[in-house]
Amino acid sequence: MNSQCCTVAMDLGVCQLRNFSISFLSSVLGKERASVDNSSSGASVVAIDNKIEQAMDLVKSHLMYAVREEVEVLKEQIKELMERNTQLEQENNLLKTLASPEQLAQFQAQVQTGGSPTGAAQPPGPPGTAQAPPSTQNSGTSA
């Protein structure tokens, strides 16, 4: 979701930058075109080239700034994902150590057959009996 927000913000920034660049170039070229019409010297052509180069440098610097910001956001996301991955690996290792050999075998069988591994978290009950949800198992009568 954060990535979508950054993408939208970056797209908006690029769009604004593009509009600014077009209007800037139009105004620069409009002024220089008038001087080209008034004088036929090669100096006005050089002036136009210089203005275009300045405008392109400005566009480049704005784009580089936007890219740097996006890189920082992505670095932060990578850091968060690596931390989450480490946490999940630790949790996975803990669950593996706490699981019984029967549960691990059942899980491996489900993974190999392409079944859903969610049922592997519940220990198998005695044959012919239905398992109740965990919240109702412990609420039985105690006499």
Side-chain angles (χ1 to χ4, degrees):
M1 184 143 142
N2 190 15
S3 176
Q4 291 173 344
C5 177
C6 291
T7 303
V8 170
M10 188 167 180
D11 289 345
L12 179 63
V14 169
C15 184
Q16 290 173 343
L17 181 61
R18 184 179 299 131
N19 289 338
F20 169 77
S21 299
I22 290 171
S23 62
F24 177 77
L25 284 174
S26 297
S27 66
V28 168
L29 291 177
K31 291 176 186 174
E32 294 300 326
R33 187 173 292 128
S35 67
V36 171
D37 293 339
N38 294 334
S39 69
S40 59
S41 69
S44 61
V45 173
V46 172
I48 291 173
D49 289 344
N50 288 339
K51 295 289 184 178
I52 291 172
E53 187 174 337
Q54 289 173 355
M56 294 305 291
D57 288 341
L58 183 63
V59 169
K60 179 182 173 185
S61 66
H62 283 290
L63 286 175
M64 290 300 292
Y65 178 76
V67 167
R68 284 188 193 107
E69 283 185 344
E70 184 69 15
V71 165
E72 289 302 316
V73 169
L74 292 174
K75 282 182 179 179
E76 185 63 30
Q77 286 179 345
I78 288 170
K79 179 183 172 186
E80 291 171 3
L81 289 171
M82 289 177 71
E83 289 171 357
R84 177 74 174 139
N85 187 40
T86 301
Q87 178 187 1
L88 289 173
E89 285 176 348
Q90 290 172 350
E91 183 180 330
N92 187 31
N93 289 332
L94 176 65
L95 290 173
K96 283 181 181 179
T97 59
L98 295 177
S100 67
E102 296 83 20
Q103 289 172 324
L104 288 175
Q106 182 183 9
F107 177 76
Q108 289 296 330
Q110 286 179 344
V111 168
Q112 289 174 354
T113 60
S116 172
T118 57
Q122 296 178 352
T129 61
Q131 282 189 316
S135 61
T136 59
Q137 282 182 342
N138 295 336
S139 64
T141 59
S142 58

